[in-house]
Amino acid sequence: MKESIERIFKELAELKAASQAEAEQARVRFLGKKGEITALMEQFRSVAPELKREYGQKLNELKKAAQQRIDELKNSAAEAVVAAAPKEDLSMPGDAIPQGSRHPVSIVRQEIVDIFRKFGYDVAEGPEIEDDYHVFEALNFPPNHPAREMQDTFFVSTGHPNPLLLRTHTSSVQVRTMESQDLPIRVICPGRVFRNEAISARAHCIFHQVEGLYIDKDVTFADLKQAILLFAREMFGPDTQIRMRPSYFPFTEPSAEVDVSCNICKGKGCNICKGTGWLEIMGCGMVDPNVLKASGIDPSKYSGFAFGMGVERIAMLKWQVNDLRHYFENDMRFLGEFATATEV
Ligand code: PHE
């Protein structure tokens, strides 16, 4: 038995395996059920008692050494497989990481905000879920105004004197600003608004607005006209003309709709401006004294103007997109068009 143990030690030291399969064969040969070391373990039972201690120790060492040696062979065979695998071609071009871009609505919104910031306006934000008071009542909407009907406004709760609703314009933020800020006030209110409208190429139930409010002593309609003309020229180019048409809003008096000269045909008439040479961009007017009063401002001392525009509408004019729905569908082919427009 002693010779067998020594022989196996020697064989283990010289053992080689070209593959994991060969290493496994060696394991079966020495340590398998019918393996040589297993057989020695069997023989050990009949070893004379005085030799048991010595042989027992040797056999255990042998078993351990065999296991270790075979594990080593298996590992180095596995490493050899990896090393022999074809090398990566480091000259191959990498997979491009698709680069995101800002949404066109957010690009235009930022552009509008930046223009008014330059004029000294602050940015104010407010809640999208508002109450009737801030969206309608404080803005001089009579109780039976159609905007207060379910078919025009999304109500969150009804049956309450001041029900909750999704704001239909960001004028609600102007009310909150008048309530909380000292005069003079010069703010713009960008944000998402909601109207219960059928979705079409020209209308959506969710869209974005930027509204503005300026209140100080002696603010006149001429100031309003000047602010809008400067904005229009920054936004659509230095040759842009504006015109104002009388209009009606409960919260402004007098009120006007603003058109800019068509930046595509330069006023000659094309299919974007429907042959008129003009494009409607916003509503505006002098803040109604009732609105000032509702927010605790004395209309005999202060006056102001307000305006509001749809961001999608400006974006449609800027990029000549003739269907509003494109801005909401998140089709990557459409959004990808604006990847380079991010740095406007
Ligand atoms: N709040 C109006 C709207 O949503 C826009 C507007 C704002 C008009 C301020 C006049 C003055 O249509």
Side-chain angles (χ1 to χ4, degrees), residues 168-171 174 195 207 209 211-212 249 251-252 255-256 282-285 306-309:
T168 56
H169 51 188
T170 59
S171 304
Q174 304 182 345
R195 288 185 196 177
F207 59 99
Q209 280 190 325
E211 294 215 354
F249 299 101
F251 35 89
T252 45
S255 307
M282 67 168 95
C284 66
F307 56 86
M309 66 193 106

Side-chain angles (χ1 to χ4, degrees), residues 38-92:
T38 321
L40 287 178
M41 294 290 209
E42 295 282 325
Q43 281 174 36
F44 176 71
R45 285 198 212 144
S46 46
V47 163
E50 65 277 15
L51 295 175
K52 272 222 152 112
R53 195 183 150 86
E54 184 194 344
Y55 281 19
Q57 245 169 20
K58 280 238 152 72
L59 262 178
N60 272 338
E61 275 167 30
L62 180 65
K63 199 175 163 188
K64 238 172 143 178
Q67 218 131 35
Q68 217 171 2
R69 181 72 190 130
I70 286 159
D71 284 349
E72 268 170 30
L73 290 173
K74 277 191 178 169
N75 285 343
S76 55
E79 276 162 24
V81 169
V82 174
K87 292 273 180 294
E88 298 283 338
D89 179 356
L90 298 178
S91 67
M92 289 268 283

